Every structure is written in structure tokens, then in C-alpha cells.
Amino acid sequence: MDHRPQAWGRPRDDVYGAYDHSFMNTNSHPNQHTQQPLVTGTSVLAVKYKDGVVIAADNLGSYGSFARFTDVKRLHTFQDTSVVGFSGDISDMQYITRHLHQKSIEESYASSSANKKSRLSAANLHTYLSKMLYRRRSKMDPLWNHMLVVGFDDDEKPFVGSADLLGTTFTAPTLATGIGSMLAQPLLRTYAGTDEEAAERTKEEAIKVIQECMKVLFYRDARSQETYSLAVVSREGVEMKTSEKLENMSWAFADRIKGYGTQTV
Amino acid sequence: MFRNNYDNDAVTFSPQGRIFQIEYSEEAVKQGSVVVGIASKKHVVLCAIKRNAEELSSYQKKLFAIDEHCGIAIAGLTSDARVLSNFMKQQALGHRLTYGRAMPVASLVDEIGTKAQINTQMYGKRPYGVGLLVAGVDEDGTHLFEFKPSGMTEELVGCAIGARSQMARTYLEKNIDAFADASKEELIKHGLQALHETLVQDKELTIDNTAVGVTGFKEGSKNKAEPFKLYEAAEVKQWLDAISESKEGNEGEGMDVDE
């Protein structure tokens, strides 16, 4: 009989056979970090106007090129003062929004009495998110998102900031993620190229240019959808619409496009 | 024979429901030299009397800047205060790095409150032997907090801790209505006046033993903090002169009241 301490309390090998260690490690392959996004959202657009910010993103969650989920809300409000728009991986988006929800609860405990207003501004939130993304990329386990954070900065001026999976940060009067940064950003710059110009634009003008850009993106972006969400962040709060539809589309140009399908001409 | 059996550690209650080690640590605060804090709507002022161990030595610092918007005054064991002030500096800086804003004063005070309370509930630990006045500004306005070794924290308009601080508190209570709308200069003078009340017979406030720290909002700004500024030595002369002048002016009528 085996009297060594490491055998104490164990089934006897001579009665039950050798101990089977294999159940301890069920997966024979090593753990893997995220290598690519799976369910994804496409571009997010945001522009400043004189009293706030307008942000939009469509409601599609694509699985590769498959339009898998058609009712995914990609704009999330934070404490009624900021909005975060997500492109990239939807499950990472859900992880981050759960985390932000927790954060906002903690923050409201920290300033619980009614007349207190110390809150995280959109600029503070943007810094926080960028640190979070950078930390994860440094662990070689990135959160696969590119997001726009909109609201107001500490001087209560309109704020639009971008943060991506590498931890890169950027602010500008107008911003777009993904393919929108190529297709919509040049159009948005004609609306407002500088903060001074953005400070002269009205809410209606801002909404109009966003609608136009969403339309261009739906024409050209193969991972986009007709229904989208649009939020206006002003000093009064957040006005969120989640089932906007593109209007006045014309597909007349479509039958002149050649070279993508099976045509032989 | 009548030895107290309930003061050997900080985790045992006496049958009367007291924890002696915590009470002793608050005694250590009472032996420290006095510090006074007052908050108006626009500024927070900390005033302190510094002690020197002997004639030839320098004076022990009593006021410390924690961050741009926040500073502390200490009474009690300076070495324990070092630990707390280093911790507070780290927290404030960490908050600036992760959020890009100044840490709200209430959260900073909560952090040290929690830290100090843990020491009163774990065997083998002892409470901090130091009390703090934390002065700072944030989006909610100006703040003055008192911190005790028990881990208790509270926000006040004016406060004094340390040796003979009751005299200073009495002065503050008498003048409380003047604080809210007081200017920076007036607030400092009230602080020094309160300090003066605590002095024993032949002691005086001098430029060597007096320190003043001020933070507040920048002129004409609602949310921009004026960096915490420490005034020592020659910089406090102007205010010391001002209060001794007003003293002399009042001496005649005040004499018989004092006797």
C-alpha cells in the first residue's frame, strides 16, 4: 500500500486504478484572446452644433456579411448627459455598456444629495474609456470597438471624441468611425470644418447633414441598414430616437452599376 | 490591580461599549498643535500653528498640498499623516489620469475614511494617530472636511482640531454668519483670529510658527480651481499685522470682558 502523504485520502490505485487527471483540463487547446470581431456594427457619425451634438448609427448587427440582427441599439446614454456610439464587436459593446451602467450607479452614489452635480462629463468618460481600451490592448486582449463619445466637456462646450481598440483618441467638430470615416467624414467637413463653424450651425442643420450621410452610407456600405438610431445631446438632456428610417432614397443609379455580379455584358 | 483590560487592541469592546484604542488615538490628535479650517462660498482656508522641538530646530510642517484643488492640515502624529497624505496624493493623481478631471473632494475623503476604519476592525492593526482637515474645491463648490482616526468624516463650514482647539471652535461658532460671503482676506483673518484664541498666556502668532493654506475658485469663474497655495514665513506677515492692529483697536473695550 502507498503510504506517501500525496496519496492520503485518495482512491487506492491498486483498487480503483490510476487516477485520471484528464478531466481537469477538458479543452486540450490553449486559451485564446479575441482575434477578430464576430457580430459587428458598422459606422457611427457625430457632429457638433451650437447647443450640443447629434450622433447616429444604424441598428444592424452583422455576422460577417450576413445581416444577422436587425434591431441592435448601438447608441447608449450615460447619466442623461452623454451618449456613446459603438461600432465593432457587439458583445464587447454589451460588456462595456454593462460596465458603464455600473459606473454611473457608483457615480450617483458619490454625489447623492439633490443639489450636487459632480458627474462624469462626456470628456471625462472619453478619457476613462480610452484608458480602458488601451489597457486591454496592452494585455493583448482588446475590446474590439471604435466608439464615439458625445456630450459636453468640463467647460460645458459641446464635445465629440473618438476612442478605438488601440487606445487612440481624437476629438474634432465632426467624427465618423469605420467606412463612414472615408465616405461621410468629407461630407461632414463641408457642414463644419472647424469648431467656429460648428458653433454657427443649428440643430436642424446638424440633423439634416447626419440624415444625408446615413443615406450615402446605406447606398455604399454593404454592412448597413435602413433603420437607424439618432440622438441629440443638448444641455436639456438626451433626446434618443431608435427607429428612424431613411427617406427619399433613389436607386435609379443602381441599374447602371456593372462589374459586381454575374452580368456578362 | 485596576488595570484596564480592554485597551490592548483596537478590536475589543469594553463592557460599556467603548473601544479604548480609538479613544486614545483621538487623544493623540488633541495633543497635536492646533489647525483651523473655514469655508466660504468661494474659498477654503486652512491655518495652523507650527511647533519646533527645540529653539534651534526648524518648525514641523502642518499644511500639505494634495493636488491642484485640494490640501490638508494635520494634528497628531506627523508620521501617520505622511502615510495618509501620500495615499491621498496617489488617489488624486490616479483620478486625474483615468478621468481627466480633479477628484471630487467627498470621494477623496471617503477613501481615507474607509482606509482608517479598516484599521479599527482588524486584529494586529492600530488606528491612525492623526486628525485631518481636508480643504478643496470641485464642481459642487468649496468643501471643508474633518477626518478622525476612527474613520469618521464629516463636512463642516468651519472646524478646529488639536490642542486647545475648543477656544478656536468657540470663536468660529460666534462668527459663523460672516463666513459664507467672506472674501479670501477676511476668511484668512478669521482663521488666524481663531488660532490666536487658542494661544496660552505668553505665546504669540509669529511668521515662524504660523502657516496659511488657501484654495478656491478663480476670480469670475464657477468651476476653475485656484491652485492650493501655501503661505509661510514672510508671506503671512501682512495678515498677522492686520489682526494685531485690529486687536489693539479693540483692546480698550475688550479688556474687562476678558478678565
Side-chain angles (χ1 to χ4, degrees), chain A residues 46-48 53-54 148-151 158-162 170-175:
Chain A
V47 300
K48 288 185 196 173
V53 188
V54 179
L148 299 186
V149 185
V150 306
F159 175 89
V160 172
S162 117
F170 203 72
T171 64
T174 65
L175 276 177

Side-chain angles (χ1 to χ4, degrees), chain B residues 111 137 185 213 236 255:
Chain B
E111 296 276 333
V137 293
E185 298 291 316
V236 298
M255 232 11 166

Side-chain angles (χ1 to χ4, degrees), chain A residues 44 55 57 74-76 83-87 146-150 177:
Chain A
V44 183
I55 183 171
R74 295 196 288 126
L75 302 184
H76 292 267
V83 172
V84 187
F86 293 85
S87 57
H146 186 173
M147 46 229 202
L148 299 186
V149 185
V150 306
T177 70

Side-chain angles (χ1 to χ4, degrees), chain A:
Chain A
M1 195 175 150
D2 187 358
H3 290 288
R4 290 173 304 154
Q6 53 267 54
W8 292 355
R10 302 226 166 170
R12 283 167 58 179
D13 285 2
D14 55 326
V15 178
Y16 299 98
Y19 188 74
D20 180 11
H21 291 275
S22 69
F23 88 100
M24 290 291 283
N25 41 351
T26 43
N27 46 350
S28 48
H29 51 266
N31 282 327
Q32 283 192 339
H33 288 164
T34 313
Q35 311 262 317
Q36 62 184 333
L38 284 170
V39 180
T40 59
T42 186
S43 321
V44 183
L45 310 177
V47 300
K48 288 185 196 173
Y49 69 94
K50 64 181 160 75
D51 309 310
V53 188
V54 179
I55 183 171
D58 71 20
N59 295 347
L60 181 64
S62 306
Y63 184 66
S65 58
F66 174 26
R68 179 65 183 83
F69 304 103
T70 54
D71 193 21
V72 181
K73 311 287 189 293
R74 295 196 288 126
L75 302 184
H76 292 267
T77 52
F78 181 78
Q79 291 192 331
D80 281 330
T81 53
S82 311
V83 172
V84 187
F86 293 85
S87 57
D89 196 87
I90 296 297
S91 60
D92 284 350
M93 172 188 88
Q94 290 172 337
Y95 166 80
I96 294 169
T97 49
R98 275 199 296 275
H99 181 78
L100 288 182
H101 183 65
Q102 191 65 38
K103 199 94 210 142
S104 78
I105 291 172
E106 282 167 22
E107 190 68 10
S108 59
Y109 276 127
S111 52
S112 51
S113 75
N115 58 344
K116 299 211 168 170
K117 58 163 190 170
S118 85
R119 294 181 139 201
L120 288 176
S121 68
N124 299 147
L125 183 63
H126 177 243
T127 312
Y128 178 77
L129 284 172
S130 72
K131 305 282 161 173
M132 185 174 164
L133 289 160
Y134 180 68
R135 181 170 166 69
R136 287 294 295 265
R137 86 101 225 200
S138 299
K139 284 170 73 181
M140 298 289 275
D141 189 14
L143 291 165
W144 218 288
N145 296 102
H146 186 173
M147 46 229 202
L148 299 186
V149 185
V150 306
F152 294 90
D153 63 17
D154 293 333
D155 298 321
E156 306 202 351
K157 292 207 184 71
F159 175 89
V160 172
S162 117
D164 71 7
L165 72 166
L166 303 172
T168 315
T169 57
F170 203 72
T171 64
T174 65
L175 276 177
T177 70
I179 199 175
S181 68
M182 292 161 226
L183 294 179
Q185 185 67 295
L187 298 170
L188 294 174
R189 284 192 186 132
T190 62
Y191 153 88
T194 62
D195 274 334
E196 289 72 37
E197 282 171 45
E200 287 164 16
R201 301 289 176 263
T202 63
K203 174 175 156 187
E204 287 67 34
E205 287 173 322
I207 293 176
K208 188 153 165 279
V209 72
I210 286 283
Q211 285 169 337
E212 280 306 306
C213 288
M214 289 305 285
K215 193 150 75 180
V216 170
L217 284 172
F218 182 55
Y219 283 145
R220 288 291 176 181
D221 179 0
R223 307 283 173 270
S224 65
Q225 192 193 224
E226 209 177 350
T227 51
Y228 63 100
S229 306
L230 186 142
V232 181
V233 189
S234 64
R235 288 183 180 85
E236 284 75 55
V238 177
E239 190 188 323
M240 175 77 78
K241 294 182 194 137
T242 55
S243 49
E244 296 290 280
K245 272 219 151 187
L246 292 172
E247 286 161 358
N248 306 320
M249 279 186 291
S250 162
W251 291 94
F253 68 93
D255 60 354
R256 281 180 279 116
I257 294 179
K258 293 204 171 131
Y260 295 101
T262 52
Q263 313 107 315
T264 46
V265 191

